[in-house]
Amino acid sequence: MAAGDRRMSEVRPAVINPDIAVERTAPSFQVEKLVSLLDGGAERTRIRRTVEHVIIADAVFSQENQYFLTQPEQYELAVKKAVHLRQKMEDLGWTDDGPEMWFAFRILGGNLAFAVHSGVFIPTITELGTDAQIAKWVPLARDYQIIGTYAQTELGHVGSSANHAVVLAQLYTQGKCHGMHAFIVQIRSLLDHSALPGVKIGDIGPKMGLEHVDNGYLMLQNIRIPKDNMLNRYSEITSDGRYIKKGSDRINYIAMVFTRVKIITEEMVTALSKACVIAIRYSVVRRQSKLKPGEMEAKILDYQTQQQKLLPQLATAFAFHFMASSLDTFCNQVKVQIKSKGDASSLPELHALSAGLKALISDACSAGVEACRRACGGHGYSKLSGLPSLYSRVVASCTYEGENTVLQLQTARFLIKCLNKIECGEPLPQSVSYLYEPITHDCSAKEKSDFLKPFLYIETYKHRAHRLIKDAGIKLQSLLQSGVEQHVAWNSTSVQLARAAVAHCHYIVVKNFVETLDGLKFEPEIQQVIKMLCDLYALTGILDNAGDFLHDGYLTGKQLDLMTACQLHLLSLVRKEAVSIADAFDYPDEQLNSAIGTYDGLAYQRLFEWAQKAPTNAKVNPAYEKYLKPRFRLAQSKL
Amino acid sequence: MHCGSCRLGVAAMNPELRKERELASFHTEALTHILDGGAEKTRRRREIEALMLNDPELQHEDLNFLSRSERYDVAVKKSALMVRKIREHAISNPEEIMWFKRTCLESKVEPLGLHFAMFIPTLENQCTSEQKEKWLHPSYTQQIIGTYAQTELGHGSFIRGLETTATYDPSTQEFVLNSPTVTSIKWWPGGLGKTSNHAIVLAQLYTQGQCKGLHAFIVPIRKMGTHEPLPGVVVGDIGPKFGYDEVDNGYLKLENVRVPRENMLMRYAKVMPDGTYMKPPSDKLTYGTMVFIRSMIVGDAARALSQACTIAIRYSAVRHQSELKPGDPEPQILDYQTQQYKLFPLLVTAYAFRFVGNFMRDTYHRITADMNDGDYSQLPELHALSAGLKAFTSWVASAGIEECRMACGGHGYSRSSGLPDIYVTFSPSCTYEGENTVMMLQTARYLFKSYTQAKSGQKLSGTVAYLNDLCGHIQPQQVASRPMVMDINDISRLVEAYQLRAANLVEAAARNYRMELGRRKNKEEAWNSTSVDLVRASGAHCHHVVVKLFAAKLSEITDTAIYDVLSTLCLMYALYGISKNSGDFLHAGILNDLQISQVHQRVKELLAVIRPNAVALVDAFDYPDAVLASVLGRYDGNVYEHMFEWAKRSPLNKTEVHQSFYKYLKPLQSKL
């Protein structure tokens, strides 16, 4: 059975737009196999679908008419859903760490309250708390007897929901500051939910998106908490006030890195892939202008400019999906190394990689979702398309969990340290080992087909990263040698450093895409599809940054022309499979919640149906009565 | 008098902003005069703005705390009030009316927008004198409120594809209007959903069994007195959007709706009582409005981007973060090179677009005068230019507004920053009045045609004159091997570099088009297979026009301090564009590696040159706080206090304990 058949909305199971049906008639691959690849195995696909089925069948979780709700209504509904999910989980015996809950969160992500509670508050206690602290707090939190938030810079759902917070604060004892530490602070009464004395708390007001989250403000004035509420795994205060450090607190980073990997998958890649599915399906049912005189109007996906807008985004979604999955694996390896052997040597590399990739991926996913939205013309502005909400949600990820430029500069700092290590002859971590190699010169491609050789484009990306990192290092060094102070030198080189960090991460993503591809030897059909997407991702990235590659003559103008021709040809190939590839993300209609992106392609009918349900259409227009009627009355006699 | 200070209340100014303003190398007020087009214009603009700012009747609650229905309600109220106020204050000059409205609307939109911008102008341009007699007066007095219903659910930019029909019935001398399919339902017109009682409907005219193409009809849609839809009219709001909460964009389905023959706009084409159709004399006549609106969008792009820059730059001077030097106080984020690199290129772009916007407005008026004298010769160029520049500036400004927003970190995401609203209000202009890619391809068609003419020896003039060189003495190969001696600080040489880039990309697109034709594709297929190249060529052409117009503006500046600062901005605009598109300049051999490295370096040096003037440069745009509607962008810089005050008014804070606690959390917690 084709993956999609089941996905069709139940409204009109028999009707399907022939313009979209024809796109699915002869895919070069089995869609279901691509579905399993994306899910990480057929068994996981099965579990995911079971969870989806449970959630879709439950009216409380319905997203119908969600776009019509006000912000307070959205918040309230999100609380209701979060509580209901807890109930559901108990009823069905899903465990907190099991795959079902993971999928449930992924499916309901944008509609649940308490994301910070489950995603940050509990993990922070687990990572930074002692065993006794974990035993005390985590069960309470899992049962929602306490609801917590994480108060570092931006506050998640302090506003109305939380009664506890992990507060990051400068620890002072015996007259000395010991830096940032985490404390569990009760902020509201457990009886009537009122703010405790000394706590000023509230919602920070309407935002661009994330209406279902009550981001809040919190002011603390002489709030006293027991000593045991400081999370004590790595440091402790004795009863007489002495500060004791217990091992390296660098493991703190692990929690942060895990959060990053989680949001890359759940917030960024999901948003981009959903946007691609919606825009691609819409682009095969929307017809506009004529490609040939006398013929009917053409599908807009047949226009080269539309392909150029959408298909590289589709390739990007795959690139990031595989990247997130490798990063997750790396993250777990490092965690095991630390926990079992106390070996934290890979931590700086992991930290640098996750920072730079978070920045690269959130930037690209935000821009990509917005490109998809605009590619849907006017209908992309309607909330009913689902695209505005996807954008306003994903774009927040460019500034939360580390502002992107700050993160790029963290990665750059790591890269510069690596350059210094080379000077000293010290070994480098695997992902940056290329800095030891000599810089390559002159791309060897002679004809169009050469650009479809993965080793060739990997080399090209590697070359750029290497050159930009080295140039930034030289610039920094020369400023320092001319007597400029360290911080001034760093600031004066920061634009260049940030660029070098991006180039490094871009190379890592391309390399990882190719490695994924190599692992698909036994699935030739699938491998062929993924290869096409990998080629498209890699070549588009080079062409978009052509100046970087032409600059030192690594690529010639002639080679660039060949590559352009090659990329345009790839667009036409991906075009043929685009709908089936998009289907493989396997989003049920209920989850996409888009009037123009449904599996059946009945975009116009749905837009019309949904619009008629808007509350603005349900009642008499009060603005008319109040302001317009007096004017219109005058005309009545004359017309 | 210093420009902003006259609007400032008694509260103290943030000391950092005060310092920034004292450091400026030029007189802010003098630059404001240049932007406005003279000291007298600045004076009058402020006088008109003050009428609104000081009028208690026009004040209202912060829109951010209102639901969509409430925002619509406030907007209708405002529209009605504005009509009265404009009359009371006897403001009649169209530009002055625009100033007044913009101030009232805080740069947002009004439900009656299309009534003024499309419905009335269409009546004025396309009615016969008898029709004017009947329709104009009630429209001027808003007894009739109309909208312009062109776009359909399934049809946008390709208007020949519209499906709504108007069939003439000679027996009753009426047109019968129908929406025959789902895709033919009118969709999007502003003010259609709830506000209007009439619509100008674009429909395919059928008479005597033949289709005569698109024509415009006045269709009453709601009953006078009750405002209920008329029989056969299915009308409503299309639901929530990405912004535009104030406007009731609507749908309209017509089922055998009959209107009298006289309701067809018949100044040009006519249908006689017996159904005989008479053709219009020229099809270029309707271009005017389109060109006008597209030219206006260039100005809108400048305004939206300059507002976003004002907010982000002021906030960046107030906000402190991290340490540059260990132990030192946290620096202003505007002192970080990466922050400057985000914001200053946008600031110079806002200036560039402002001058281009003024140029387009003036050109439109000049050419309109020519057309009134029967001279249409300049219309094709203006049409191509307005299409391309509309796309170029709206794309750049939309992306720029978002960059400004994100440069404000998390606070940019709060609606209190004003930035989310600026973005969602402006970004639809990438799509409406001609989708941008379609616009770029229209410009490309003009470029391609001009290129072909130049090739065949005709001498081109106007904005495409540079193509003469390409096809004359400089062959493409020679372009590539030009001597690369160039002073990258010489703006006239940079203009040339942009010309060469554009010429090169036009040439490359033309070459690829010929190649595609050679592969036995028909013209349309070959055009489609070259369209990515063509869009790039159009973009390069528009980019060159902007650089050239900015450079030309410098020669009009007499104040030396302002000349110095604007020259820096112009140089920055040109160099940043090269730095960002270095591939094009390298590929065509216009600049070599060394020069590109110099350009990258020079851009960073210029950031430091602009830095001391940054706040004064945004002050010169002279937006009153009420128009910016931003806590972050306040003139006095008292950001944090006001943000806290603002948040306390959020609807979720109305009660100490939200109702969801009693409904969902408490039962759960007591159960356990």
Side-chain angles (χ1 to χ4, degrees), chain B residues 5-188:
Chain B
S5 56
C6 55
R7 297 148 181 244
L8 192 57
V10 280
M13 193 195 293
N14 173 297
E16 247 128 12
L17 279 184
R18 181 187 305 281
K19 208 176 82 199
E20 296 284 342
R21 286 170 177 140
E22 285 163 2
L23 282 176
S25 71
F26 65 95
H27 196 42
T28 313
E29 182 71 6
L31 183 51
T32 303
H33 296 166
I34 291 172
L35 291 170
D36 278 328
E40 174 53 24
K41 278 216 172 174
T42 302
R43 190 199 61 75
R44 179 65 180 148
R45 175 177 57 76
R46 287 184 185 155
E47 187 173 68
I48 289 189
E49 286 170 357
L51 291 177
M52 179 270 152
L53 297 172
N54 301 327
D55 188 337
E57 259 195 292
L58 286 165
Q59 313 307 313
H60 55 81
E61 218 180 318
D62 191 319
L63 297 175
N64 289 301
F65 300 129
L66 304 182
S67 68
R68 183 173 166 234
S69 290
E70 290 165 336
R71 279 177 86 142
Y72 167 69
D73 192 282
V74 169
V76 176
K77 179 178 168 190
K78 239 191 218 180
S79 280
L81 262 174
M82 281 194 299
V83 168
R84 200 184 86 211
K85 297 283 175 184
I86 287 168
R87 200 172 302 146
E88 280 173 15
H89 295 306
I91 308 172
S92 56
N93 173 319
E95 191 175 25
E96 296 184 357
I97 291 177
M98 202 172 62
W99 288 335
F100 183 80
K101 285 198 161 188
R102 264 185 208 146
T103 315
C104 288
L105 295 169
E106 301 168 2
S107 304
K108 292 185 189 68
V109 279
E110 60 165 329
L112 268 60
L114 278 196
H115 175 72
F116 298 110
M118 289 297 292
F119 185 77
I120 290 180
T122 307
L123 293 180
E124 287 169 341
N125 292 329
Q126 297 186 38
C127 280
T128 62
S129 45
E130 303 85 72
Q131 286 177 318
K132 282 185 187 168
E133 188 79 14
K134 175 172 180 185
W135 298 105
L136 276 177
H137 180 74
S139 302
Y140 287 147
T141 53
Q142 288 82 46
Q143 295 162 44
I144 287 181
I145 290 180
T147 182
Y148 188 81
Q150 177 180 304
T151 305
E152 295 174 358
L153 192 42
H155 307 276
S157 299
F158 182 67
I159 60 168
R160 272 178 292 158
L162 296 177
E163 295 175 85
T164 304
T165 58
T167 309
Y168 185 63
D169 176 357
S171 68
T172 58
Q173 298 196 15
E174 287 173 317
F175 291 102
V176 187
L177 284 102
N178 269 299
S179 312
T181 58
V182 176
T183 44
S184 73
I185 296 169
K186 294 291 179 190
W187 201 268
W188 281 111

Side-chain angles (χ1 to χ4, degrees), chain A residues 352-353 357 411 414-415 431-432 434-435 461 464-466 468-469 499-509:
Chain A
L353 204 56
L357 285 172
T411 305
F414 170 78
L415 294 171
S431 63
V432 281
Y434 67 95
L435 293 176
Y461 276 94
R464 174 176 68 145
H466 202 161
L468 291 178
I469 294 168
R499 233 177 106 213
V502 172
H504 170 69
C505 294
H506 208 164
Y507 156 67
I508 297 286
V509 174

Side-chain angles (χ1 to χ4, degrees), chain B residues 234-543:
Chain B
V234 180
V235 65
D237 175 80
I238 62 164
K241 295 147 300 192
F242 192 49
Y244 269 58
D245 281 356
E246 293 78 11
V247 177
D248 52 322
N249 298 75
Y251 58 78
L252 175 67
K253 190 164 179 274
L254 301 168
E255 290 159 0
N256 290 316
V257 173
R258 290 182 165 260
V259 299
R261 184 183 66 92
E262 295 80 11
N263 280 28
M264 174 172 143
L265 298 183
M266 291 211 254
R267 179 168 171 192
Y268 302 115
K270 291 183 176 48
V271 171
M272 299 289 118
D274 66 349
T276 309
Y277 176 76
M278 296 175 64
K279 264 199 346 198
S282 159
D283 58 354
K284 279 183 186 156
L285 295 162
T286 47
Y287 272 23
T289 325
M290 220 155 61
V291 171
F292 173 71
I293 291 186
R294 286 174 193 163
S295 302
M296 285 293 118
I297 291 175
V298 177
D300 291 346
R303 206 164 17 261
L305 184 58
S306 56
Q307 289 178 355
C309 285
T310 304
I311 296 167
I313 287 178
R314 284 181 183 162
Y315 174 64
S316 299
V318 171
R319 171 89 174 181
H320 289 253
Q321 194 155 296
S322 301
E323 317 178 304
L324 265 173
K325 188 180 181 181
D328 277 6
E330 295 185 297
Q332 291 163 283
I333 57 173
L334 201 53
D335 284 330
Y336 286 96
Q337 191 191 48
T338 47
Q339 187 76 352
Q340 295 169 3
Y341 190 70
K342 285 177 195 172
L343 296 178
F344 296 168
L346 297 170
L347 174 66
V348 304
T349 304
Y351 270 89
F353 288 2
R354 179 71 174 247
F355 296 132
V356 176
N358 292 350
F359 168 84
M360 287 303 287
R361 183 194 58 206
D362 298 344
T363 309
Y364 173 77
H365 289 308
R366 184 170 51 79
I367 294 183
T368 309
D370 291 350
M371 289 196 297
N372 287 339
D373 299 339
D375 173 6
Y376 293 97
S377 59
Q378 302 227 39
L379 194 60
E381 183 182 358
L382 181 62
H383 181 252
L385 196 61
S386 67
L389 283 175
K390 178 261 179 189
F392 181 78
T393 57
S394 62
W395 265 334
V396 171
S398 294
I401 295 163
E402 273 298 78
E403 283 173 53
C404 287
R405 191 181 62 68
M406 287 193 255
C408 295
H411 291 326
Y413 199 72
S414 166
R415 300 268 281 262
S416 68
S417 72
L419 291 162
D421 255 353
I422 295 177
Y423 182 63
V424 297
T425 307
F426 178 72
S427 83
S429 55
C430 293
T431 309
Y432 64 54
E433 298 302 331
E435 194 278 326
N436 278 356
T437 304
V438 175
M439 293 297 95
M440 282 298 196
L441 287 171
Q442 283 185 10
T443 303
R445 209 170 276 282
Y446 180 74
L447 290 173
F448 183 74
K449 209 168 125 192
S450 303
Y451 168 82
T452 316
Q453 285 170 348
K455 273 254 167 186
S456 65
Q458 287 183 50
K459 187 126 179 79
L460 303 172
S461 62
T463 54
V464 288
Y466 64 90
L467 292 172
N468 291 326
D469 294 343
L470 181 77
C471 307
H473 56 282
I474 305 169
Q475 291 304 310
Q477 295 87 334
Q478 287 170 300
V479 173
S481 60
R482 282 193 121 206
M484 292 179 270
V485 192
M486 189 166 135
D487 175 3
I488 59 155
N489 291 304
D490 180 345
I491 190 71
S492 60
R493 300 304 304 274
L494 297 177
V495 173
E496 267 178 53
Y498 273 92
Q499 278 180 359
L500 284 171
R501 169 189 178 224
N504 214 278
L505 289 172
V506 171
E507 157 84 14
R511 198 170 50 231
N512 289 344
Y513 176 72
R514 279 197 306 271
M515 228 161 66
E516 294 292 339
L517 277 182
R519 290 182 184 143
R520 284 185 297 164
K521 285 188 179 164
N522 68 27
K523 276 185 184 172
E524 287 76 12
E525 286 170 325
W527 184 261
N528 187 29
S529 306
T530 321
S531 55
V532 167
D533 292 334
L534 288 162
V535 169
R536 270 181 76 200
S538 285
H541 171 72
C542 294
H543 206 160

Side-chain angles (χ1 to χ4, degrees), chain A residues 76 291 309 370 391-392 551, chain B residues 402 413 423 524 593 663:
Chain A
E76 191 177 327
L291 268 175
K309 286 176 194 176
E370 192 60 348
Y391 177 66
S392 45
H551 190 101
Chain B
E402 273 298 78
Y413 199 72
Y423 182 63
E524 287 76 12
D593 293 358
K663 276 160 80 178

